Amino acid sequence: MSEELKKEIKKRRTFAIISHPDAGKTTLTEKLLLYGGAIHVAGAVKSNKIKKTATSDWMEIEKQRGISVATSVMGFEYDGYKINILDTPGHQDFAEDTFRTLTAVDSVIIVVDVAKGVETQTRRLMEVCRMRNTPVIIFVNKLDREGRDPFDILDELENELNIKVVPLSWPINIGAKFKGVYNIYENSLDLFTPSKQTISERVEIDDINSKLIDDNVGEADAEKLREDIELIDGVYPEFKVDDYLAGKVAPVFFGSALNTFGVKELLDCFVKIAPCPKPIDAEERRINPEEEGFSGFVFKIHANMDPNHRSCIAFVKVCSGKFERNIGYKHVRSDKIMKFAAPTAFMAQKKSVVEEAFPGDIVGIPDTGNFKIGDTLTSGENIHFKGLPSFSPEMFKYIENADPMKSKQLEKGIKQLMDEGVAQMFTSTFNGRKIIGTVGQLQFEVIQYRLLHEYGAQCRWEPLSMYKACWIESDDQEALEAFKKRKHQFMATDKEGRDVFMADSNYVLQMAKNDFPKIRFHFTSEF
Ligand code: G4P
């Protein structure tokens, strides 16, 4: 194994910031980029926001999606580390995109609003992190505003996110009286100076009893801080990096992204403790990033919105070895060797042609429809990466052809959009009709619009009242057949031909579970 490769892997930190919309993800991303010197003014990362947009304001979303390629991956150097932030769409209708992006990161930072606590989107995304044991750090944001008691927030984080937490910093008051943050991890006191661009003042403290604290925040608040820290010492276990890396404990930081407060502490701790790329389990074997042979997988496909160029960018996460431009790699699904003349890297929000990339890096490959989500590229070996599950959609509609002259185009369009991961398609085994499942209403509009503009095909939606699609399996083949026979009206297959039970209500699902104990029901396609 080459020393160069080893060194490059060690310095990589590939992660995503996730939050419920409005908690401060964009602001935090921007501040991290400011530290990395990747941008020079605040307000530069606004373009990736698909939010505050009425569902019907579809063109606006198009425009924003167009720009968001640039902000899909943001790479920068900081303190000798190479950091790759993978952006996730804010709009909850694109949650599936976010789920898939989480398969390409080595760790996650969760942003929580101190006034709102844990919100729905955060809870759902955390479930995905837990499934994959992804290490998470939590940043409690907006301390400059009135909010909840920090101890209550910690309780809520533990209960709602189902993970043990350890505070590594602690706020001195919040809202109008917010004075700063005591950094438990590094024993220092950061004083709050509300300023949107500059970095706050830091006082090094050797001991929590130091008089310096009283001098800076006043006796009363210093006393309260000491009581709080004593309580924290008593209640929360000592922070162990290994527990964090195993996804068992989440360190918590407090701050205000807008005021660039507590962000540096977060970043400094993050680069030190966050994992570099780790071995990944493929179906065939475990792939070590330090292996000489290159391997990577497609976790996202971004379509070009210009109908005249039906090209897209496939985002490949490098898993092992070194990726090089113009070298032939095997596209495992098609068993073809492909060369890439213009792979792009994403540094400082700019796309540029890249000669080489290392594990943890994301490479953008211009494509004209060869790639599907989950595809693997390798130096030659047949590798299939696991862990790119489809999640049970929440909204379902029958898709019908509205222009009989264009049925070929419709079929092709649907296939490609599904390969891109825009939504999921199921085929009813009962009547052969095609069902599209999404996580939000917006995706139906996206599909209809894109079918028309990119493929010249027209579709029509027909309502379908459905609760969940569950992938089913059983060790008992007879029981499985009996179930499929009894529920034949509600059976469908997914794109891989797997059996899916379309439950029309939670009640029906529960009944099915009771009546057929030998059947296992799954809400993701991988189990
Ligand atoms: P998101 O990407 O998670 O959706 O959140 P975003 O960063 O856009 O932040 C949502 C709103 O919260 C923004 O205000 C932002 O300025 C504000 N915000 C972020 N961090 C802090 C903080 O630490 N303190 C306070 N007080 N506010 C914060 P907005 O009015 O919705 O947008 P804008 O007009 O300021 O851009």
Side-chain angles (χ1 to χ4, degrees), residues 52-118:
K52 292 177 193 159
T53 319
T55 336
S56 56
D57 196 356
W58 169 225
M59 283 319 291
E60 185 53 26
I61 290 164
E62 281 291 302
K63 223 166 59 200
Q64 297 189 4
R65 256 175 73 95
I67 314 168
S68 73
V69 178
T71 53
S72 282
V73 181
M74 289 160 279
F76 64 92
E77 306 255 352
Y78 178 78
D79 203 16
Y81 294 93
K82 163 81 192 292
I83 297 174
N84 295 311
I85 306 181
L86 272 53
D87 186 42
T88 54
H91 200 296
Q92 61 170 11
D93 284 9
F94 293 103
E96 183 89 19
D97 262 17
T98 304
F99 294 158
R100 277 191 300 260
T101 298
L102 292 182
T103 64
V105 300
D106 299 304
S107 69
V108 155
I109 292 180
I110 296 179
V111 184
V112 173
D113 183 327
V114 70
K116 296 192 178 140
V118 175

Side-chain angles (χ1 to χ4, degrees), residues 22 24-27 46 49 52 141-142 144-145 256-257:
D22 266 351
K25 178 169 72 77
T26 313
T27 314
K46 284 288 163 204
K49 292 223 264 177
K52 292 177 193 159
N141 191 27
K142 308 197 186 180
D144 58 317
R145 284 221 197 129
S256 165

Side-chain angles (χ1 to χ4, degrees), residues 117-154:
V118 175
E119 297 171 88
T120 30
Q121 188 81 337
T122 325
R123 214 174 287 124
R124 292 175 59 191
L125 294 168
M126 183 63 204
E127 274 168 35
V128 182
C129 294
R130 222 177 310 106
M131 268 170 64
R132 308 174 52 81
N133 296 324
T134 309
V136 303
I137 296 181
I138 300 171
F139 183 73
V140 180
N141 191 27
K142 308 197 186 180
L143 269 283
D144 58 317
R145 284 221 197 129
E146 298 306 325
R148 312 242 299 270
D149 179 79
F151 281 111
D152 289 348
I153 288 281
L154 291 182

Side-chain angles (χ1 to χ4, degrees), residues 282-298:
E283 273 166 34
E284 293 78 6
R285 64 184 184 85
R286 176 167 277 205
I287 312 293
N288 197 320
E290 292 158 357
E291 291 175 20
E292 292 295 336
F294 159 75
S295 68
F297 67 87
V298 177

Side-chain angles (χ1 to χ4, degrees), residues 136-317:
V136 303
I137 296 181
I138 300 171
F139 183 73
V140 180
N141 191 27
K142 308 197 186 180
L143 269 283
D144 58 317
R145 284 221 197 129
E146 298 306 325
R148 312 242 299 270
D149 179 79
F151 281 111
D152 289 348
I153 288 281
L154 291 182
D155 285 349
E156 181 171 318
L157 290 171
E158 270 197 352
N159 295 333
E160 297 277 331
L161 299 181
N162 217 341
I163 188 164
K164 290 252 163 285
V165 297
V166 180
L168 290 190
S169 76
W170 197 251
I172 300 165
N173 300 331
I174 62 171
K177 289 197 218 129
F178 180 53
K179 288 195 181 156
V181 163
Y182 179 70
N183 192 334
I184 303 173
Y185 187 63
E186 289 180 342
N187 273 334
S188 60
L189 185 67
D190 292 306
L191 296 172
F192 180 60
T193 39
S195 147
K196 290 181 185 155
Q197 302 284 336
T198 59
I199 291 142
S200 50
E201 189 189 336
R202 167 174 279 202
V203 184
E204 299 298 333
I205 309 273
D206 28 340
D207 187 88
I208 183 74
N209 292 316
S210 162
K211 185 148 179 317
L212 273 176
I213 302 183
D214 301 67
D215 295 348
N216 281 291
V217 304
E219 260 176 46
D221 285 331
E223 215 29 61
K224 169 87 174 51
L225 174 68
R226 289 186 188 109
E227 281 168 20
D228 284 354
I229 298 292
E230 202 181 323
L231 195 58
I232 290 168
D233 280 348
V235 173
Y236 295 96
E238 192 191 335
F239 174 63
K240 294 203 181 77
V241 176
D242 284 345
D243 290 341
Y244 154 71
L245 291 174
K248 291 186 187 143
V249 162
V252 180
F253 286 85
F254 292 84
S256 165
L258 187 64
N259 294 292
T260 325
F261 192 81
V263 176
K264 187 162 189 304
E265 292 68 30
L266 173 75
L267 181 59
D268 285 341
C269 175
F270 169 81
V271 292
K272 274 191 215 113
I273 68 172
C276 61
K278 291 277 172 276
I280 303 178
D281 284 323
E283 273 166 34
E284 293 78 6
R285 64 184 184 85
R286 176 167 277 205
I287 312 293
N288 197 320
E290 292 158 357
E291 291 175 20
E292 292 295 336
F294 159 75
S295 68
F297 67 87
V298 177
F299 67 95
K300 173 178 176 137
I301 293 177
H302 205 298
N304 188 337
M305 289 295 145
D306 178 354
N308 298 321
H309 307 94
R310 199 186 292 151
S311 65
C312 26
I313 295 182
F315 289 78
V316 176
K317 156 110 187 241

